[in-house]
Amino acid sequence: MAGRDDYRRVADDVAREIEAGTLRAGDQLPPQRLFARRRRIANSTAIRVYGELARRGLVVGEVGRGTFVRAAAPHPGGAALTEGPAAGPTAPPAVNLELNYPVVAGQSELMSRALAPLLRPDVLLEATRTAAPDGTPQARDAAASVLARGGWRPEPEGVLFAGNSRQAIAAALSSLARPGGRVGVEEVTYPLVKAVAAQLGLRLVPVAMDEQGMLPGALADAHRKASLSCVYVQPTLQNPLSVTAGEARRQQLVDVVQELRLAVVEDGTWGFLAPDAPAPLAARLPDRVVFLDSLSKRLAPGLTVGMLAAPPGHLDALARALRSGAWTAGAFNLAALVRWAGDGTVATLASAKRADAAVRHGIVRERLIDAGARGRFRIDPRSYYCWWELPAPWRAETFVGAAAERGIAVTPGSAFAVTGHGVPGAVRIGLASPPPEVLAGALGVLAEISQACRARAASGARPS
């Protein structure tokens, strides 16, 4: 029998089998006791092997079903491939529907016109200096106009800046919760929140959802079971489910938050696609909500600004978090924000992307939903992502693997699940990045894959 410290060697052996194709995406590993007997190792060593494989991102566990080989190549450190470029020696997919950065015709030209004055030597010198968390008065005014929605506009004096949305989330959570603290989140949520929480030593607590997002009663139950430090929520076009809370639901959430005296981090990143959505929670509860947004989806991911509107009593703590984490925005980006907001670039591109999202929704309906692909589709006509709940006997990892073999990358539902319990048998399809004609072709391939899986299931064969 191998010693208990040999689990990494055994994990290396399994990793080589996966790399060689002996174990393929979607294949199920044997139960740990059987694995231990076959490898002539102790049961405790087998447990550590499975844990090490999961840490590397090579396998995923599905409660009540077993452990399966992951489909997508993992990022360094075992992180799932979501909202970022492919890493490692694996070639990038021909069509990446994990990335989700919208680009419309004329975007670069429109943005560049506003930036041209910043390139004058005298202006550039000032624009390349360091910036404080509260930026400049002009930047705060510009951000307040960008953050405004549903009849609400934050006071410019309450606006602070981060480099991007991830840094804004990190600053907001670290200013409200100490390491070891519990943060309530939707039961499937934005994957980067999981990564940020892990880095900050915070425990995410999944809160049940329905067709309008987070359930107020479930939030109250979670807090009463063990106190929450704060709540992270996406009331408008929630990522990945595209659900939007109505007026009544938002008021119910506000009532619960007030009763329990909880702080809230409200993420409005995709809200620009739904200008008709109800006013944000921050408009109803300005003394308890930190509202955040960024320019990455409206404009471009490479030159962005994270914006936070915070209660007056919380500004100092939030500014300290931004400084200590080195998460403040660059002065050049703030100067760009001022010009893009002032000359109408932000508004023009937001309108263009709303029209683009509607076109892509039509492609989803034509190439997937009306094409007879089985399962349940959750998508809002205003949204840039589609949540596809796969019917039995499909597994998300198996479907992702089949799509990868055809050169298409989609994200398994496990990337969005807060815990390993009840991992959804679903995939998220990002609609924003490829040109429409490329998206149409890729969705057509996914529909073909679904039909092939359907045929194999009907014949009793295991989908692969």
Side-chain angles (χ1 to χ4, degrees):
M1 298 287 282
R4 68 174 187 174
D5 295 328
D6 290 342
Y7 72 96
R8 289 190 182 91
R9 176 185 58 76
V10 180
D12 289 341
D13 291 342
V14 177
R16 281 191 288 270
E17 292 174 17
I18 294 172
E19 183 178 359
T22 306
L23 288 172
R24 300 181 60 188
D27 283 351
Q28 183 174 9
L29 298 185
Q32 291 172 359
R33 288 184 180 276
L34 179 57
F35 180 88
R37 287 200 299 271
R38 290 177 177 176
R39 302 277 174 158
R40 298 182 60 80
I41 59 177
N43 290 336
S44 59
T45 303
I47 292 172
R48 300 183 74 184
V49 170
Y50 277 43
E52 176 66 12
L53 292 171
R55 188 194 69 78
R56 298 183 191 182
L58 298 175
V59 302
V60 62
E62 298 182 16
V63 176
R65 301 182 69 182
T67 301
F68 300 88
V69 177
R70 286 189 63 91
H75 277 219
L81 175 61
T82 53
E83 301 289 327
T90 303
V95 183
N96 194 327
L97 301 183
E98 292 192 303
L99 296 178
N100 213 26
Y101 290 109
V103 177
V104 293
Q107 175 173 308
S108 297
E109 292 79 2
L110 191 61
M111 293 171 63
S112 65
R113 285 199 294 270
L115 293 181
L118 295 179
L119 302 182
R120 281 175 25 206
D122 57 327
V123 178
L124 186 61
L125 177 63
E126 187 64 29
T128 52
R129 299 184 187 277
T130 58
D134 60 351
T136 64
Q138 296 84 357
R140 291 195 295 274
D141 283 337
S145 69
V146 172
L147 292 172
R149 62 202 66 195
W152 169 78
R153 186 180 191 273
E155 294 294 330
E157 294 76 14
V159 174
L160 299 178
F161 299 98
N164 52 44
S165 61
R166 176 173 182 155
Q167 293 172 346
I169 292 169
L173 292 179
S174 65
S175 69
L176 292 169
R178 295 184 177 183
R182 290 161 46 89
V183 178
V185 295
E186 293 122 338
E187 58 188 343
V188 290
T189 191
Y190 183 36
L192 288 185
V193 175
K194 297 164 58 178
V196 167
Q199 291 171 345
L200 297 176
L202 303 176
R203 179 183 174 189
L204 296 184
V205 179
V207 179
M209 304 172 65
D210 66 3
E211 297 302 322
Q212 292 195 59
M214 183 178 286
L215 289 165
L219 174 60
D221 290 342
H223 180 68
R224 289 168 180 147
K225 185 175 181 180
S227 295
L228 301 174
S229 299
C230 60
V231 182
Y232 169 87
V233 65
Q234 307 165 78
T236 303
L237 294 181
Q238 193 262 359
N239 182 9
L241 299 186
S242 298
V243 298
T244 294
E247 288 279 3
R249 172 58 55 82
R250 294 179 191 230
Q251 188 57 50
Q252 292 165 357
L253 283 170
V254 165
D255 292 343
V256 168
V257 167
Q258 282 185 310
E259 177 187 352
L260 302 178
R261 302 180 64 82
L262 283 171
V264 178
V265 177
E266 181 178 8
D267 191 336
T269 299
W270 288 105
F272 75 95
L273 293 173
D276 55 342
L281 304 182
R284 307 156 195 263
L285 202 58
D287 60 332
R288 291 197 171 275
V289 178
V290 176
F291 185 88
L292 64 89
D293 198 347
S294 82
L295 294 182
S296 62
K297 308 302 184 183
R298 282 185 177 85
L299 301 183
L303 187 61
T304 188
V305 176
M307 300 164 286
L308 303 106
H314 191 64
L315 284 172
D316 287 345
L318 188 55
R320 285 195 300 271
L322 288 164
R323 284 192 294 265
S324 64
W327 295 323
T328 53
F332 186 89
N333 291 25
L334 294 181
L337 164 64
V338 171
R339 293 186 175 275
W340 284 330
D343 72 356
T345 296
V346 173
T348 299
L349 289 179
S351 177
K353 291 181 180 182
R354 286 193 286 271
D356 182 59
V359 169
R360 291 165 187 266
H361 176 265
I363 295 173
V364 172
R365 179 158 294 281
E366 175 187 353
R367 293 303 183 99
L368 277 184
I369 300 174
D370 293 344
R374 293 194 306 154
R376 181 188 183 194
F377 293 90
R378 293 197 188 195
I379 184 172
D380 186 296
R382 303 166 293 184
S383 175
Y384 266 121
Y385 33 91
C386 171
W387 183 255
W388 185 356
E389 296 178 357
L390 304 169
W394 297 349
R395 294 194 306 271
E397 294 295 330
T398 302
F399 187 85
V400 170
E405 290 178 355
R406 299 286 296 273
I408 302 171
V410 296
T411 312
S414 57
F416 302 88
V418 176
T419 69
H421 300 286
V423 174
V427 295
R428 193 201 71 167
I429 302 172
L431 308 175
S433 297
E437 62 276 11
V438 175
L439 175 65
L443 296 184
V445 171
L446 294 182
E448 290 175 9
I449 293 171
S450 74
Q451 294 298 337
C453 288
R454 179 179 179 180
R456 289 177 66 87
S459 66
R462 187 176 71 84
S464 60

